[in-house]
Amino acid sequence: MTSIPHETPGEPNPLNALTLDLLRRRTSMKWRTHPSDVLPLWVAEMDVPLAEPVVRAVTRALTLGDTGYPSGTAYARALAGFAAKRWGWDGLAVERTAIVPDVMLGVVEMLKLVTAPGDAVVVNPPVYPPFFAFVAHMDRRIAEAPLGADGRLDLDVLEQAYRRAVTGGGRAAHLLCSPHNPTGTVHTARELAAVAALADRYGVRVVADEIHAPLAAPDGDFVPYLAVPGAQNGLSLMSASKGWNLAGLKAALAIAGPDAAADLARMPEEVGHGPSHVGVLAHTAALSEGTAWLDALLAGLDDNRRLLTALLAEHLPGVGYRPGGATYLAWLDCRALGLGDDPAAVFLERGRVALSPGPDFGTGGAGHVRLNLATSPEILTEGVRRMARAVR
């Protein structure tokens, strides 16, 4: 499969569009969880205006009163077109998709289809904290296969986890984060094919959370899990949510490999009642008309990765940072600073900058923080300066 080059950005960098004063007028979680003197660089919301095609689609719907229930396959067709152009993947079959409220609720429904209460779900910590909470809430048990020291999948460790997960005859699933949150790692085609081979050997069903896929850097070379050999019975969840900052406009797609179509067909009909019709319209517009905006964003994120590297070298040289190939998240190793297991608490108290606590991401998270770099260079610079002041 050949990755298709990104378009030349036709729009200005959206990360430069909004001032801190404008951002503080927002009422979402990012801007209302902490007091106003705290600079929020934590939860996965971007400091950007919406792409104009998304604004047009939502405005048109509101003007028409088109705020009923979702219908049709336009979202799936838009994603299939995006996948073909962006990743060179033409295997996204619209008939093997279903609209779900969001990626994590879709994950829950997919895991319900392929596991039972008490079964194991393999995860690769440090990983997105809701993985732990949602799996526990479903009465499944977590089986950890931590990432290697290089931040990549450790296939030997993964095989051991698969073996343990199916011991006793129960079913098991692997909740794969691809690209990986918080490290930004983009799993290679070879790694994913190896995962598929191991899953087939041990009878483990792979459910891939691919919400960050549109945010792969120009040289990130994202590969959909369902595109690799041996992944025919896999399930995937995708969305325009992270790529276009649409978390508040709920909609995502569950996608089945050819051998998992019957599983997806068993999903309860009422699950499809949860997505927002306006959300579906917004996501469809983003995928079909918002690529120029996305490319401008990706160029800005690449600039911010370089800026963060330089800022840390200047102000916090003891912090380890390996820029990821995707997402707008930076995983920072702060262990050399001597701030204990939860450096985010120190940065918040002493520096008035909010970061995501590393321990929340499970094994390998102690002594780390996750920083959201989807903001203006000015805010990013101020955030690092506040972190530095906190350790003086």
Side-chain angles (χ1 to χ4, degrees):
M1 186 178 69
T2 303
S3 178
I4 305 302
H6 291 231
E7 298 174 8
T8 301
E11 300 190 18
N13 179 1
L15 296 169
N16 290 332
L18 302 176
T19 65
L20 183 58
D21 287 342
L22 280 174
L23 290 166
R24 289 203 181 279
R25 291 165 58 184
R26 293 184 170 183
T27 58
S28 61
M29 179 184 290
K30 181 177 183 180
W31 294 96
R32 287 294 182 265
T33 298
H34 298 285
S36 59
D37 67 323
V38 171
L39 195 63
L41 298 177
W42 63 295
V43 74
E45 298 179 23
M46 293 194 286
D47 296 344
V48 293
L50 290 184
E52 188 55 36
V54 173
V55 174
R56 286 198 303 268
V58 172
T59 302
R60 185 185 308 118
L62 297 180
T63 300
L64 292 173
D66 187 13
T67 54
Y69 299 104
S71 176
T73 60
Y75 188 2
R77 287 184 281 112
L79 179 57
F82 181 86
K85 183 176 182 181
R86 207 70 166 185
W87 308 317
W89 181 44
D90 60 3
L92 199 164
V94 171
E95 64 272 17
R96 294 198 306 272
T97 67
I99 300 174
V100 292
D102 60 31
V103 163
M104 279 312 301
L105 291 179
V107 163
V108 167
E109 296 300 330
M110 297 304 98
L111 290 175
K112 285 180 180 178
L113 294 175
V114 299
T115 64
D119 286 340
V121 177
V122 177
V123 299
N124 306 112
V127 73
Y128 183 51
F131 277 19
F132 301 99
F134 277 79
V135 169
H137 185 69
M138 296 169 59
D139 196 24
R140 273 68 170 171
R141 56 189 174 87
I142 288 286
E144 292 195 355
L147 299 177
D150 59 356
R152 307 203 69 85
L153 295 172
D154 186 323
L155 296 174
D156 291 334
V157 170
L158 184 64
E159 181 170 13
Q160 294 168 19
Y162 279 7
R163 186 182 296 116
R164 291 193 304 270
V166 298
T167 297
R171 295 187 291 176
H174 178 188
L175 180 49
L176 176 69
C177 195
S178 179
H180 196 85
N181 173 4
T183 64
T185 301
V186 179
H187 308 307
T188 67
R190 179 176 294 183
E191 288 170 331
L192 294 174
V195 169
L198 286 173
D200 180 65
R201 183 183 309 166
Y202 289 95
V204 173
R205 300 296 298 277
V206 176
V207 177
D209 172 355
E210 298 181 311
I211 194 170
H212 288 279
L215 289 164
D219 59 353
D221 206 21
F222 170 76
V223 177
Y225 177 72
L226 297 181
V228 303
Q232 293 89 339
N233 73 343
L235 295 159
S236 166
L237 285 304
M238 288 189 176
S239 173
S241 172
K242 289 294 183 285
W244 285 268
N245 206 41
L246 304 178
L249 293 169
K250 293 286 189 179
L253 284 166
I255 309 161
D259 295 346
D263 294 309
L264 187 60
R266 291 187 290 106
M267 189 175 73
E269 187 266 343
E270 61 267 20
V271 174
H273 297 176
S276 158
H277 176 49
V278 176
V280 169
L281 296 174
H283 288 236
T284 302
L287 289 162
S288 58
E289 304 175 60
T291 53
W293 183 93
L294 178 65
D295 284 334
L297 170 70
L298 292 173
L301 291 175
D302 207 34
D303 289 341
N304 275 7
R305 292 185 189 99
R306 286 189 289 269
L307 174 62
L308 179 59
T309 300
L311 289 169
L312 291 173
E314 179 181 357
H315 299 287
L316 288 166
V319 171
Y321 170 50
R322 182 188 296 118
T327 81
Y328 48 76
L329 306 167
W331 187 236
L332 306 183
D333 183 350
C334 303
R335 288 175 292 180
L337 301 181
L339 303 180
D341 286 349
D342 186 12
V346 178
F347 291 131
L348 178 60
E349 179 183 356
R350 299 181 190 170
R352 311 308 287 163
V353 56
L355 307 168
S356 297
D360 292 354
F361 294 81
T363 299
H368 291 70
V369 298
R370 192 191 72 177
L371 180 149
N372 178 348
L373 52 77
T375 189
S376 69
E378 293 77 16
I379 291 175
L380 181 59
T381 299
E382 174 61 17
V384 174
R385 287 174 175 166
R386 290 188 182 203
M387 293 170 65
R389 288 199 295 269
V391 298
R392 285 176 185 163

